[in-house]
Amino acid sequence: MGVVIQCSIAVLLVSFLIFSLWVTVPTDQTFENMFPNVIFMHGWGNMAIEPVAADNSTLPELPAEKMSALNGLYGHEMMFYHKTMDRFIPWEDRSKYRVWSCSVLCSPPSGTPGSSVALVLYSQNPKRHVWYVVELNDEDANSPVVYGRTKFRKNPHYDVPWVTHTPGDAVKPKNMDGVFITISWSLFKMDTPEKWTTAACLLLGTVASAWACRRSMFDDD
């Protein structure tokens, strides 16, 4: 094997290791932590969305193709701050929400310069938790603009159905089938035949590679 190929393989392995650590480490060093540093959101782009502004007014509908911009990787921001966030969640409740900001592949659906997208986990009380996806912009009077939310749950969890965000209880939210949050930790939960098959293939591949390397060493001797 040439030196160039060996170096290329080494670079790929190191890059994969760094990426794996980035997406799997917890957000803080506690045994009770329930979420990793990176969250993957996918499934947007199947339906048009009518966003809701911070003052609870509806904004012009955005087509499905623009909503697909929300798909991507979101990284946890421990020291998150945005001056318009107080319009949506009161400053007094700042300790009750956590934010994962758009990091890779995602972008603001509006396409407005200076805007950013974030996933917000808001724990209104110990038995009422909800996720929001919002677009933030310092110069926009409507910021933060809410594109959707999850159904309320008694315990914070990523595997929750998503619905449209509405300007009030009088409007019934629509289910957003196909929109999901995925975390790297779920890959290690052997709950599907596909995961068991993949694990078996990786194990067999590792054993076969080790056996081939061992045989090659003996043949060289």
Side-chain angles (χ1 to χ4, degrees):
M1 184 182 294
V3 176
V4 176
I5 296 178
Q6 291 179 350
C7 290
S8 299
I9 293 176
V11 169
L12 288 174
L13 289 175
V14 172
S15 300
F16 178 74
L17 176 61
I18 294 174
F19 179 78
S20 299
L21 291 173
W22 179 56
V23 300
T24 56
V25 294
T27 55
D28 49 57
Q29 299 177 11
T30 62
F31 288 108
E32 292 81 14
N33 196 284
M34 300 186 65
F35 303 101
N37 186 50
V38 175
I39 288 176
F40 177 45
M41 187 162 64
H42 55 99
W44 292 88
N46 294 323
M47 61 182 292
I49 295 295
E50 191 176 61
V52 178
D55 62 359
N56 235 20
S57 61
T58 56
L59 300 175
E61 185 178 83
L62 292 179
E65 55 268 20
K66 284 192 174 183
M67 297 310 304
S68 62
L70 292 175
N71 298 322
L73 298 175
Y74 291 73
H76 183 253
E77 281 200 41
M78 184 173 294
M79 305 300 292
F80 173 85
Y81 171 77
H82 197 279
K83 67 179 185 180
T84 68
M85 197 66 176
D86 300 346
R87 302 172 185 168
F88 181 52
I89 299 178
W91 174 254
E92 295 76 17
D93 286 353
R94 61 190 181 278
S95 62
K96 296 182 180 181
Y97 69 87
R98 303 168 66 183
V99 176
W100 284 257
S101 296
C102 170
S103 298
V104 181
L105 301 177
C106 44
S107 61
S110 69
T112 305
S115 292
S116 60
V117 180
L119 267 171
V120 180
L121 174 59
Y122 184 22
S123 300
Q124 297 177 351
N125 60 57
K127 292 188 177 182
R128 188 175 173 86
H129 307 270
V130 60
W131 290 87
Y132 294 99
V133 57
V134 301
E135 182 174 331
L136 303 153
N137 190 306
D138 287 339
E139 308 303 325
D140 187 356
N142 294 316
S143 177
V145 175
V146 185
Y147 290 115
R149 66 170 177 85
T150 62
K151 293 184 177 181
F152 293 94
R153 288 294 183 264
K154 292 183 178 180
N155 296 305
H157 201 273
Y158 67 91
D159 189 13
V160 187
W162 281 79
V163 296
T164 56
H165 185 59
T166 58
D169 295 335
V171 182
K172 185 178 180 180
K174 299 178 183 178
N175 293 329
M176 292 196 290
D177 298 330
V179 176
F180 296 101
I181 287 178
T182 302
I183 62 175
S184 58
W185 296 349
S186 64
L187 296 176
F188 302 99
K189 185 179 180 181
M190 309 305 288
D191 55 351
T192 64
E194 291 80 6
K195 290 182 181 179
W196 280 105
T197 302
T198 302
C201 290
L202 289 173
L203 178 61
L204 291 175
T206 302
V207 172
S209 298
W211 180 81
C213 290
R214 184 172 181 274
R215 182 175 180 181
S216 177
M217 293 173 59
F218 280 109
D219 290 343
D220 292 339
D221 293 340

